[in-house]
Amino acid sequence: MFRRAFWFTTGVAAGVWATTKVNRTLDKLTPESLALQAADRAVLAGRRVKLFALDIRDGMAHREAALKDALGLAAAPEPEPRALPGQRPHLVVVEQQHPHHSLTRKEDH
């Protein structure tokens, strides 16, 4: 009797576990879930590319400074930012109406 109860309980537990596992897997394979996973991975890849580019830029600046020091080149002064020329005044277009326009216009009633 105890053997049957043990194996029955073990079977029920295995069935519940397998059903839960299958349902979770099916939920992960829905189109909405797949789209969210793809979006998350794209954002993560974008962040990694950005960090990689920043590391490259820092390495380039460090190497450039080292080469300038090794060659005895002085850092070139940065050019002063040039001011933009003043803005031209905008032209305002004014519609001129015929003085008798309102008198000759026919309105729908």
Side-chain angles (χ1 to χ4, degrees):
M1 174 95 167
F2 289 111
R3 240 184 212 179
R4 285 184 185 173
F6 170 77
W7 287 112
F8 178 76
T9 306
T10 304
V12 169
V16 168
W17 177 80
T19 303
T20 304
K21 192 80 163 170
V22 167
N23 285 336
R24 285 183 185 168
T25 303
L26 289 177
D27 287 342
K28 288 181 182 178
L29 296 177
T30 61
E32 295 84 14
S33 178
L34 291 175
L36 287 174
Q37 289 176 10
D40 289 342
R41 288 182 181 159
V43 168
L44 183 62
R47 287 181 185 158
R48 287 180 180 168
V49 168
K50 182 179 179 180
L51 289 175
F52 178 71
L54 291 174
D55 286 345
I56 295 283
R57 184 182 299 165
D58 290 342
M60 286 172 45
H62 179 36
R63 180 65 178 153
E64 184 178 354
L67 287 173
K68 284 183 180 181
D69 287 343
L71 296 175
L73 299 175
E78 292 185 18
E80 294 181 20
R82 296 186 336 188
L84 295 175
Q87 293 183 346
R88 292 184 285 171
H90 295 287
L91 297 177
V92 178
V93 178
V94 178
E95 270 188 45
Q96 293 183 354
Q97 294 182 352
H98 189 271
H100 301 291
H101 184 277
S102 62
L103 298 176
T104 60
R105 187 175 67 168
K106 293 182 181 178
E107 296 182 0
D108 292 332
H109 291 286

